[in-house]
Amino acid sequence: KIPQGVDSDLFDPKRFNRQFFREKMGLEHKKVLVFSATLTWGGARDLDIILEAVRNVMQRKQDIFFLIVGGGPLEGHFLRLIDKLKMNNIKITGLLPQEEVACHLAASDISLIFMRDNLGNRMRVSLKLLEYLSMEKIVVGHIVGESQDEFGKYCLLSDPNVESLTARILDACHGKAGIQSARNYIKDYYCWQHIGEKMVEAIRYL
């Protein structure tokens, strides 16, 4: 009845000076990959696949920097996994206010997502996906369920494995994305104003 929503006014690329934030974060000469999530079993349940793919990309391209925007109780777990994978040029920001999340997305080049095909992922539209697309980022990854039905055509999609995700990230790094913007679609159907109208409508029929 009430779909997932995003603050499309906050997550608006026109609000941010991309170059300023890249210089502030020391990312001027980097190809910045980003993953945004709370580091919990729900929010980061598929980050392990993304880390393996990013490691593969880093082995092929020396200018890659991976930015994990978020924090939470599993931060130590993922830091140990990063150490096990022997990955450098990577940063976990810790928990940030939404305004700072948007700043970090503005500074990035390619946004990553991976959704294993399970009931939890099929029954939701990913909030990070809405934030990425609202910021008009290139989105690379594997998505399922309503996320795929609604937004698959706006993403550079991979098969559900590390090898395919690696290949699609490399395609995006080499400028082979060629996908249309979803921002207008999100503003029409997934922005907070639209969600508010849906909520009022749902409450009216309780």
Side-chain angles (χ1 to χ4, degrees):
K1 294 294 184 182
I2 302 173
Q4 176 68 277
V6 65
D7 187 343
S8 58
D9 290 334
L10 171 59
F11 288 89
D12 180 353
K14 293 184 175 64
R15 296 183 61 247
F16 301 95
N17 183 329
R18 169 181 160 80
Q19 191 59 34
F20 169 80
F21 287 109
R22 286 177 69 84
E23 291 176 3
K24 182 178 179 180
M25 298 176 194
L27 302 173
E28 306 99 298
H29 306 295
K30 300 292 185 180
K31 180 69 72 173
V32 182
L33 311 180
V34 68
F35 175 81
S36 176
T38 53
L39 299 184
T40 63
W41 289 122
R45 68 181 76 184
D46 304 305
L47 179 53
D48 57 326
I49 298 288
I50 290 174
L51 282 169
E52 289 189 51
V54 171
R55 179 196 58 183
N56 293 345
V57 171
M58 286 178 167
Q59 290 172 347
R60 294 163 173 80
K61 287 182 62 60
Q62 302 304 309
D63 62 341
I64 298 295
F65 190 92
F66 187 34
L67 193 57
I68 299 175
V69 180
L74 292 183
E75 186 169 337
H77 166 78
F78 285 111
L79 285 171
R80 289 189 292 274
L81 180 56
I82 289 165
D83 184 62
K84 181 179 178 180
L85 294 171
K86 296 181 169 55
M87 296 176 69
N88 298 310
N89 295 323
I90 183 169
K91 177 182 178 180
I92 299 178
T93 66
L95 292 172
L96 298 174
Q98 285 294 86
E99 176 78 24
E100 292 186 36
V101 172
C103 292
H104 282 74
L105 292 184
S108 70
D109 296 295
I110 298 167
S111 300
L112 305 180
I113 186 169
F114 193 94
M115 301 173 75
R116 286 182 171 91
D117 192 355
N118 55 46
L119 185 60
N121 281 332
R122 281 191 166 272
M123 294 296 290
R124 67 191 179 99
V125 170
S126 166
L127 177 59
K128 70 170 65 64
L129 180 60
L130 291 175
E131 291 174 349
Y132 293 165
L133 292 173
S134 186
M135 287 291 290
E136 298 191 308
K137 296 285 106 180
I138 296 170
V139 179
V140 179
H142 180 71
I143 55 180
V144 298
E146 189 177 352
S147 294
Q148 183 179 14
D149 294 341
E150 290 294 298
F151 298 105
K153 67 181 180 180
Y154 301 109
C155 305
L156 186 59
L157 297 178
S158 76
D159 295 332
N161 57 69
V162 171
E163 294 75 17
S164 179
L165 181 58
T166 301
R168 295 292 77 76
I169 296 172
L170 287 168
D171 285 343
C173 288
H174 296 141
K176 298 179 182 178
I179 46 182
Q180 60 181 312
S181 171
R183 181 167 170 78
N184 288 337
Y185 182 65
I186 287 172
K187 288 178 68 177
D188 287 343
Y189 297 104
Y190 286 88
C191 71
W192 278 121
Q193 181 178 353
H194 178 73
I195 302 309
E197 293 168 356
K198 288 288 186 181
M199 187 174 295
V200 169
E201 181 180 327
I203 291 171
R204 185 178 296 128
Y205 290 101
L206 286 177

